[in-house]
Every structure is written in structure tokens, then in C-alpha cells.
Amino acid sequence: MQRRRLFAALLSATLVSPFAVGQETIRLSTTTSTENSGLLKQLLPVFEAKTGYKVHVISVGTGKALELGKNGDVDVTLVHARKLEDQFVDEGWGVGRRDVMYNDFIVVGPSEDPAKLKGTKDVIAAFRRIAATNVKFISRGDNSGTDVMEKGYWQQAGVKPAGANYVSAGLGMGEVLNMAAEMKAYTLTDRATYGAYQARTGLAIIIEGDKRMFNPYGIIAVNPARHPKVNYKGAKALIEWITSPEGQGRIAAFKPAGEQLFFPSAQ
């Protein structure tokens, strides 16, 4: 009987998915949008069940997510600020960046739209009008991908709201959307987080459709040459899965309230 049990155990081990590695942990730093939208709850349990890995998620702004990678505090990072991502790789902190998905940024605000922006699509012109009107704008102020994009828009506009009309929150996207609702203010957000918070905030989409609001996401393994103790094998497994037909299909299938919030882009 004991031999039969041993044989059965050995046989089952040979039938486990080739991805399976036991209960090792992968530390993933990622943006608040992937967490707040509910996307990771759609993806990670499937990956964990398939591979045996356990993914520990640290949800912060893109700047902080990349900083965690530089410090070797995570194994892999999933972010959305291409300029910062390329710099992260060029400086040798990360390796093997892959495109994962994209969506877009939108400007949201009170439904009464005090700056009279509805019906326009030019995000730079909209920012100029916000600055010229006595309305509030809430900035994330946290060096996230959204924050970097917003600062770029103000720079292109050549102006920014002054004084109390410009609030730098230093908070995640969900908290900023709540603040914008309470203060009847405008803000820049990714569409996915807005979708998750729309019902509770009542904010309306004011500006969308400008090609300058394109929002791509990339995934990068932390360079084991810089941090030998990172779980590079696990990072590669997650990257390969999320960019595989299965992972990409699950991203496309994520449609809370019937709306697709992310669009797969892995090559």
C-alpha cells in the first residue's frame, strides 16, 4: 500500500503543469489602476492556480512602483509611463520589457461642467480653459503614470491653475476621484479606474478621444544582475503568462458592467 501511494505521488508530480513551481512568491509592483479596476482579481488567481506561484501585489503609483524595482524590493513591475519604463530599462534596473495592454486617459468632472468643455476633444485646449476658469483641478501629485501625463499636458498648455484651484493630493486614483466628486473639481484619470468609481462619484466624462491620451501598459522583470536575490524565474513566468494568448484573452474578457476597460497589446 505504501509503495502504491508513493507511486501515485510520483505520477501526479509528473502530470503537474510545466509552469508549476510550488508556493514561491512573486512580488509585483503595479499601478493603482490595475488594482482599483479589479483587473488583477480577474488575472492573478488563474495564473496562481496554473503555476503554483503566489503573487504578492504592491499597488502604488508608477514612479513608486519603479522605485521598488530599483531597490530590489519587487521581482516584476506592471506600469504605464513609457518614458519612465524605458529609462528604467536603459539604466539597467529592468530587463525584457513587454507590451501588455492599453486603454486611455480621460478628463472627468462635475456633470454641470462649469468650464464648458463638453463637446471638445483637444485635451491641451481643455487644460488651458480649466486654468482660465475659476474651477478646481485635483492632481494626483504622486509621480504616477497619470501624474506624469497630467504634468506633460500642463507643460504643453503653457499654463496651470493657480492657488487653491490646483490641489496636489499625493494620493491614488480612487481617492482623487472621490476628492474631485466632493469638491466639484476636474481631474485626469485612466478610464479603468473611473469605470470602477463612476457610480459612487457621479463624475461625468468631459474630455475623451484625443490621441495624446493613449495609455499603454508594460511589464518589466527586475534585473537579477543588479539584485541577485529577486525571483527572476517567477517574474519571467508571470510575464510569459500575461502576454500569452490565455493572459491576453482574459484581459480582453474583463468587462465590468459590460464595458471593456483594457485592450491586449502583446506581440
Side-chain angles (χ1 to χ4, degrees):
M1 180 65 70
Q2 187 173 3
R3 287 184 178 180
R4 287 182 180 177
R5 289 176 179 173
L6 178 60
F7 176 75
L10 291 172
L11 178 61
S12 65
T14 65
L15 297 177
V16 173
S17 162
F19 290 102
V21 292
Q23 287 297 313
E24 292 183 58
T25 297
I26 301 168
R27 300 166 300 168
L28 169 68
S29 64
T30 188
T31 71
T32 57
S33 60
T34 59
E35 177 77 1
N36 290 345
S37 66
L39 176 67
L40 295 183
K41 292 179 182 178
Q42 167 97 348
L43 299 179
L44 295 183
V46 179
F47 169 76
E48 290 172 338
K50 186 180 184 71
T51 66
Y53 281 113
K54 179 66 177 177
V55 182
H56 174 64
V57 176
I58 304 172
S59 176
V60 289
T62 285
K64 179 62 176 178
L66 292 172
E67 194 66 30
L68 289 168
K70 289 181 180 180
N71 294 337
D73 294 326
V74 295
D75 309 303
V76 60
T77 185
L78 173 62
V79 290
H80 65 132
R82 187 56 191 267
K83 184 177 179 180
L84 296 182
E85 295 168 46
D86 289 343
Q87 183 179 349
F88 182 75
V89 173
D90 291 344
E91 292 177 354
W93 301 110
V95 292
R97 183 200 175 278
R98 297 281 301 276
D99 289 325
V100 176
M101 59 193 180
Y102 67 89
N103 60 11
D104 62 341
F105 290 108
I106 52 178
V107 175
V108 301
S111 57
E112 54 268 30
D113 186 26
K116 306 302 179 189
L117 298 171
K118 285 182 180 177
T120 65
K121 286 189 175 182
D122 187 328
V123 65
I124 305 305
F127 269 48
R128 289 195 186 106
R129 187 179 295 185
I130 288 171
T133 308
N134 187 29
V135 295
K136 291 187 182 296
F137 186 96
I138 312 297
S139 171
R140 283 188 59 172
D142 62 350
N143 198 33
S144 62
T146 306
D147 186 53
V148 169
M149 188 65 74
E150 178 223 314
K151 298 298 192 294
Y153 293 153
W154 290 122
Q155 185 176 21
Q156 292 176 65
V159 66
K160 190 167 71 172
N165 279 341
Y166 186 80
V167 179
S168 183
L171 296 170
M173 196 70 254
E175 294 100 329
V176 167
L177 288 168
N178 287 333
M179 284 183 64
E182 292 170 6
M183 300 174 72
K184 295 189 178 299
Y186 293 92
T187 192
L188 181 74
T189 178
D190 65 281
R191 189 180 294 270
T193 308
Y194 169 75
Y197 279 75
Q198 180 180 8
R200 74 187 79 172
T201 63
L203 293 169
I205 296 176
I206 305 297
I207 301 290
E208 62 180 335
D210 191 321
K211 64 182 180 180
R212 290 169 291 191
M213 301 172 85
F214 179 67
N215 183 30
Y217 288 73
I219 191 166
I220 314 168
V222 173
N223 189 350
R226 287 289 184 94
H227 296 289
K229 292 185 179 180
V230 299
N231 186 355
Y232 181 59
K233 183 179 178 181
K236 285 183 64 179
L238 179 58
I239 291 171
E240 289 302 318
W241 183 83
I242 205 169
T243 59
S244 72
E246 180 182 12
Q248 294 283 283
R250 289 189 174 273
I251 290 171
F254 179 63
K255 298 179 181 180
E259 180 183 4
Q260 185 169 348
L261 299 180
F262 297 94
F263 297 84
S265 62
Q267 301 296 320

